[in-house]
Amino acid sequence: MSAGPGSGLGPHSGQGGSVPRGMMALRGSRCPAGWLPALQLLRRGSKAVTRHWKAVHFQRQKLLALTEYLAPRPALPPRCLPRPGPRQQQEDGYARVLRAQLEATLRASRMVAVCQYNAMADEDVATLRHFLRRHDIHVKFAVSQVARPVLAQSKLRNLLPLFVCRNILLVSAEPRAREMLRVLKGVPQVTLLGACIDDTILSRQGVEQLARLPPLEVSQGQTVAALSLLPSQTCSLLQRGPALLAALLEQHLRRLRGAGGAAEPAPGPVTGSH
């Protein structure tokens, strides 16, 4: 609502009309007396309820009732139908590939060690791989969701309790327990939990005891020496009796020859008879 200076609605006008609230707010302003602005904003009250409820027309109600969708009744009641079985989740293709690779690795390895893996820098992981690869030991990061089904169907099922958190596998085509422990001694982030060496499940203490054993070549040489010692002793014992008997007989012959030569008379000088 706009009001000019001559409208007679100002606070100093001689008429006794009511003054709007918007105009009363301008009394404390710095406007000169007897002057009003050309444009004033007046507050107007709005209705609290903008929409009232209204009953639906009777014909509209009948039309809605006629056009309401009714689902067809099933041939058998739901209580007579068999209960649905558990849904089989579709196997992920990537998980299937990882499982096949792990199965091939376990079949071709004579040593499989399970280690607990803690956070390490990428440079330390590369260094660990390098030092283990020098001894023909490979590092495999095993995911529990992939490794558990594979181990449950193999001869390594007794290693399942070791797969609790983040684990890695150290696999080798030959038993390299001594070299593996030497490398892991300088890596505290990787802890050995157990291993399967030549189809034998070993704990950490068992792996350490196996590492203290001499190499296979030395053990074979010691075994051959121990086995050949007994036959040689047996042969010497069997040959001792005949050798002693032969020595006694030879000594007896020497005595007989000495005694027979002493009993014969010595031949004298030959003389002619008269």
Side-chain angles (χ1 to χ4, degrees), residues 106-138:
L106 295 179
R107 284 196 301 266
S109 302
R110 294 177 56 187
M111 184 186 74
V112 179
V114 183
C115 302
Q116 181 181 358
Y117 175 76
N118 299 320
M120 294 177 59
D122 296 339
E123 295 80 2
D124 298 338
V125 175
T127 304
L128 176 63
R129 285 176 177 270
H130 171 69
F131 282 107
L132 290 175
R133 197 179 296 113
R134 292 173 59 182
H135 303 289
D136 197 16
I137 302 175
H138 303 277

Side-chain angles (χ1 to χ4, degrees), residues 190-207:
V190 178
T191 305
L192 179 63
L193 301 178
C196 179
I197 301 177
D198 288 337
D199 300 338
T200 304
I201 305 297
L202 300 174
S203 62
R204 179 183 176 87
Q205 292 76 13
V207 176

Side-chain angles (χ1 to χ4, degrees), residues 28-268:
S29 60
R30 296 183 181 181
C31 296
W35 182 87
L36 291 176
L39 179 63
Q40 295 182 3
L41 300 177
L42 302 179
R43 180 179 180 184
R44 295 181 178 275
S46 60
K47 296 182 180 180
V49 180
T50 59
R51 181 175 298 179
H52 297 275
W53 178 83
K54 185 178 180 180
V56 183
H57 197 270
F58 181 69
Q59 293 183 357
R60 184 175 178 83
Q61 292 182 7
K62 292 194 296 182
L63 180 61
L64 292 176
L66 290 175
T67 57
E68 184 181 1
Y69 173 75
L70 297 178
R73 297 181 59 182
L76 295 175
R79 62 178 179 273
C80 298
L81 297 176
R83 294 183 179 180
R87 295 182 178 179
Q88 297 180 359
Q89 297 182 357
Q90 187 176 4
E91 187 178 7
D92 189 8
Y94 182 63
R96 185 166 57 253
V97 172
L98 292 179
R99 190 177 297 111
Q101 292 179 355
L102 183 59
E103 291 177 356
T105 302
L106 295 179
R107 284 196 301 266
S109 302
R110 294 177 56 187
M111 184 186 74
V112 179
V114 183
C115 302
Q116 181 181 358
Y117 175 76
N118 299 320
M120 294 177 59
D122 296 339
E123 295 80 2
D124 298 338
V125 175
T127 304
L128 176 63
R129 285 176 177 270
H130 171 69
F131 282 107
L132 290 175
R133 197 179 296 113
R134 292 173 59 182
H135 303 289
D136 197 16
I137 302 175
H138 303 277
V139 179
K140 302 293 182 181
F141 286 88
V143 183
S144 299
Q145 291 79 3
V146 176
R148 282 181 171 276
V150 176
L151 295 178
Q153 300 176 359
S154 65
K155 58 186 178 182
L156 306 178
R157 62 178 62 92
N158 293 332
L159 295 177
L160 281 176
L162 302 180
F163 286 83
V164 178
C165 55
R166 196 174 183 184
N167 302 99
I168 60 175
L169 297 178
L170 305 181
V171 296
S172 176
E174 298 293 334
R176 309 279 184 179
R178 185 180 295 102
E179 294 81 0
M180 179 183 64
L181 291 177
R182 188 183 303 117
V183 175
L184 295 181
K185 186 176 181 181
V187 185
Q189 292 85 356
V190 178
T191 305
L192 179 63
L193 301 178
C196 179
I197 301 177
D198 288 337
D199 300 338
T200 304
I201 305 297
L202 300 174
S203 62
R204 179 183 176 87
Q205 292 76 13
V207 176
E208 293 176 352
Q209 294 176 2
L210 179 64
R212 297 192 192 101
L213 297 178
L216 181 60
E217 294 77 9
V218 178
S219 301
Q220 291 176 351
Q222 294 176 356
T223 304
V224 171
L227 294 177
S228 61
L229 178 62
L230 296 177
S232 62
Q233 292 179 353
T234 304
C235 183
S236 61
L237 290 175
L238 293 176
Q239 292 179 357
R240 183 178 180 181
L244 181 59
L245 180 60
L248 291 176
L249 292 176
E250 185 177 359
Q251 184 67 22
H252 182 64
L253 290 176
R254 290 177 183 176
R255 290 181 180 180
L256 290 178
R257 289 174 184 175
E264 292 180 359

